[in-house]
Amino acid sequence: MSKKISLYNRCLNGIEQVGNSLPHPTVLFALFTLAVIGLSALCAALGVSATGSLVSGGELKQTTVAAVSLLTKEGLRYLFTGAVGNFTGYAPLGMVLVAMLGVGVAEQSGLIDTLLKALVKAAPARLLTPMTVFLGVMSNIASDAGYVILIPLGAMMFRACGRHPIAGLAAAFAGVSGGFSANLLIGTLDPMLAGITQAAVSLLDPGYTVQVMGNYLFLVASTFLITAVGTLITDRVVEPRLEAFDTIEDEGHADLAAVTPLQKRGLRNAGLAAACFAALVAAACLPADSFFRSDTGALLGRTPFLDSLIVLIALLFFLPGAAYGLTVGTYRGSRDVAEAMSRSMASMGSFLALAFVSAQFISCFGYTNLGTILALKGAAFFRSANVGLIPLMVIFVLFSAFMNLFMGSASAKWNILAPVFVPMFMLLGYSPELCQLAYRLGDSCTNIITPMMAYYAVILVYAQRYDKTAGIGTLTATMLPYSIAFLVCWTVMLIAWLSLGLPIGVGTPLFYPA
């Protein structure tokens, strides 16, 4: 007797089938770009526009934004002259390729497989899922490095444990992207959003100072919420509906046989190489005038250290990988190491093709101003709506989540929404930091299901490594349960937090004026 499929899984299967019946992702993004071109011309001809206060140069300015056609002389010029720049400026491109130079050496040497085998045998299997989600959340301190490093490693770890690798990919993706606003530490996004909020606050109260750690306490608690919810969804919803493990098409990974004495020696030498490199980096960071520090002496935040993180991570894989390969005989000299780097680049062909059209789509959509117009019109609606505070808070979270489907940049959306919503919340008696927090919750939850997210194409390529039939439908159906669960649980947590009157940050009032 065949097992009865639940209505929920039938819905997800339907989403997957519809999504995967669409053209190849590369073709699909090209069609999206053509659709944006046509829509921009139509909206421009109809005179579609929106007016609102936008943050520019640290000041609030009343601005009218009109739809810009890509079928004008200037628009066509942008399409052709900007194509190369759009591609080379595509945020994930350089990060992925640089990281792969190091990761490829480590992977082809056998280091990652051996290390995973050792970790799997040493660590309790029940901790694999929460560890993967938690590390994903914490990786946000390193900005976007988690997308490049942790998500493929999550798939590898699950596969090494005999579990579905796409479930590991999904768990890591949920932590890295769905939990982007949660963390135990202050990341690069906190000061960026706080600066935009400060500019919006000046409209009503120039003397009010927005705290960089204004959301810190709530986001610390959110780290454990996202870890728990992400673990539950992975183990109870996502992995059970994936295909049987023996259908996975991935090749080239070692099985769970015991680590040999030679491999143990290789691991020891790789560990020494990693330790020496980490010690050198730490020593370079210690001086007050270190080249890794900002002009103010800060090491974290928007500093040279975090800007160098991808290169440092690549070296952290490259050096131990080379040490391991030379020890166990995978590499016999520098020529073999160089060839491993070349092979890792050769494997990125499908990513490069998808990255090119994805970059054009995102850039063209931004050029047309369609996302900005949609945000301004939505904000105007909320300003005129007469609803209670808690309903307004919930609707604002949902609105932020919806807007994230069309505009991938958290800072760009906040530049548009903050001048409207921050003063509105202040007039209702709630602090600017609370408005910022509600925005961050909604913005994070739909990161994992929107093609507008810059790394969406990267994650799709990772998934296709294990399932060559995987498409947008596969990724959307896999990540949708996380998105819904995060949105519901995070919103409920916010309502409960407000009801209890708990502080949301360090030195941050919940109410305005304090």
Side-chain angles (χ1 to χ4, degrees):
M1 180 181 293
S2 61
K3 185 178 179 181
K4 185 178 180 180
I5 302 177
S6 67
L7 176 61
Y8 182 72
N9 279 334
R10 286 203 300 270
C11 291
L12 291 180
N13 291 341
I15 292 173
E16 180 173 0
Q17 290 173 3
V18 171
N20 288 349
S21 66
L22 297 173
H24 187 280
T26 300
V27 177
L28 191 61
F29 274 99
L31 294 175
F32 284 164
T33 304
L34 292 176
V36 167
I37 293 173
L39 184 61
S40 70
L42 177 62
C43 291
L46 295 175
V48 175
S49 64
T51 301
S53 296
L54 299 179
V55 180
S56 177
E59 298 180 356
L60 284 169
K61 297 180 180 179
Q62 191 74 6
T63 306
T64 297
V65 179
V68 178
S69 173
L70 283 162
L71 289 181
T72 62
K73 179 180 177 180
E74 292 75 14
L76 290 172
R77 181 178 294 162
Y78 172 81
L79 284 174
F80 286 93
T81 62
V84 174
N86 293 339
F87 179 51
T88 56
Y90 185 50
L93 183 65
M95 295 182 67
V96 171
L97 295 182
V98 170
M100 279 303 299
L101 288 173
V103 173
V105 170
E107 185 176 12
Q108 294 179 53
S109 72
L111 171 61
I112 292 179
D113 278 327
T114 304
L115 184 60
L116 289 175
K117 286 193 296 182
L119 290 175
V120 165
K121 290 184 178 295
R126 66 180 183 276
L127 296 181
L128 179 59
T129 305
M131 177 183 71
T132 302
V133 179
F134 176 77
L135 290 177
V137 174
M138 291 302 297
S139 73
N140 297 328
I141 187 64
S143 189
D144 296 337
Y147 290 101
V148 181
I149 304 299
L150 187 65
I151 293 176
L153 284 182
M156 292 179 189
M157 287 190 293
F158 268 59
R159 192 191 190 286
C161 283
R163 298 178 61 181
H164 203 296
I166 293 184
L169 179 147
F173 187 23
V176 172
S177 195
F180 189 74
S181 283
N183 213 297
L184 300 181
L185 301 170
I186 294 296
T188 56
L189 187 63
D190 295 87
M192 184 185 303
L193 294 183
I196 298 172
T197 306
Q198 182 68 64
V201 166
S202 65
L203 184 65
L204 288 182
D205 186 356
Y208 187 98
T209 301
V210 177
Q211 302 296 325
V212 173
M213 300 182 71
N215 301 150
Y216 180 70
L217 297 180
F218 187 90
L219 298 184
V220 167
S222 298
T223 302
F224 301 101
L225 174 73
I226 294 300
T227 301
V229 174
T231 298
L232 181 65
I233 296 299
T234 301
D235 293 344
R236 300 293 180 87
V237 178
V238 171
E239 193 167 16
R241 70 170 293 272
L242 292 171
E243 294 178 354
F245 176 75
D246 57 10
T247 65
I248 297 303
E249 302 175 22
D250 181 45
E251 298 176 356
H253 290 281
D255 56 24
L256 293 178
V259 178
T260 66
L262 180 60
Q263 290 173 331
K264 290 181 179 178
R265 187 161 68 252
L267 287 178
R268 183 177 65 249
N269 291 342
L272 288 173
C276 290
F277 177 69
L280 286 174
V281 173
C285 291
L286 288 178
D289 60 346
S290 168
F291 61 89
F292 276 136
R293 296 180 179 271
S294 67
D295 293 338
T296 61
L299 190 61
L300 299 178
R302 306 191 71 177
T303 63
F305 174 71
L306 287 186
D307 289 342
S308 306
L309 208 54
I310 286 296
V311 175
L312 296 176
I313 289 175
L315 289 172
L316 191 58
F317 278 90
F318 176 86
L319 295 175
Y324 178 88
L326 293 171
T327 300
V328 302
T330 309
Y331 301 142
R332 299 187 180 278
S334 60
R335 183 182 297 273
D336 290 340
V337 176
E339 289 179 353
M341 297 171 67
S342 298
R343 287 193 296 271
S344 67
M345 289 295 98
S347 67
M348 299 302 293
S350 60
F351 164 71
L352 292 175
L354 184 55
F356 177 79
V357 292
S358 179
Q360 306 311 317
F361 167 61
I362 293 174
S363 298
C364 287
F365 193 80
Y367 178 88
T368 63
N369 288 334
L370 294 178
T372 302
I373 292 171
L374 183 62
L376 287 173
K377 287 187 176 295
F381 168 77
F382 282 109
R383 184 168 50 191
S384 62
N386 185 20
V387 296
L389 181 61
I390 295 299
L392 177 63
M393 188 80 68
V394 173
I395 294 173
F396 183 46
V397 171
L398 296 176
F399 175 71
S400 300
F402 174 74
M403 282 306 308
N404 195 42
L405 298 175
F406 302 94
M407 297 182 67
S409 171
S411 59
K413 287 192 300 295
W414 193 228
N415 262 308
I416 298 169
L417 300 179
V420 174
F421 286 101
V422 168
M424 183 195 308
F425 273 72
M426 293 170 69
L427 292 174
L428 289 171
Y430 273 67
S431 69
E433 289 87 352
L434 177 59
C435 181
Q436 175 183 285
L437 176 62
Y439 164 75
R440 296 181 70 172
L441 301 193
D443 178 68
S444 290
C445 293
T446 50
N447 275 338
I448 49 183
I449 60 172
T450 173
M452 293 301 297
M453 198 271 292
Y455 287 89
Y456 191 86
V458 179
I459 310 306
L460 188 56
V461 171
Y462 290 154
Q464 289 173 343
R465 177 177 184 179
Y466 300 97
D467 182 359
K468 290 183 172 58
T469 65
I472 288 179
T474 302
L475 191 56
T476 301
T478 300
M479 302 311 301
L480 186 59
Y482 293 104
S483 184
I484 295 173
F486 287 172
L487 188 59
V488 171
C489 294
W490 232 342
T491 303
V492 170
M493 179 178 170
L494 177 61
I495 294 173
W497 204 278
L498 294 177
S499 300
L500 294 173
L502 300 175
I504 59 173
V506 177
T508 305
L510 189 61
F511 299 95
Y512 175 85

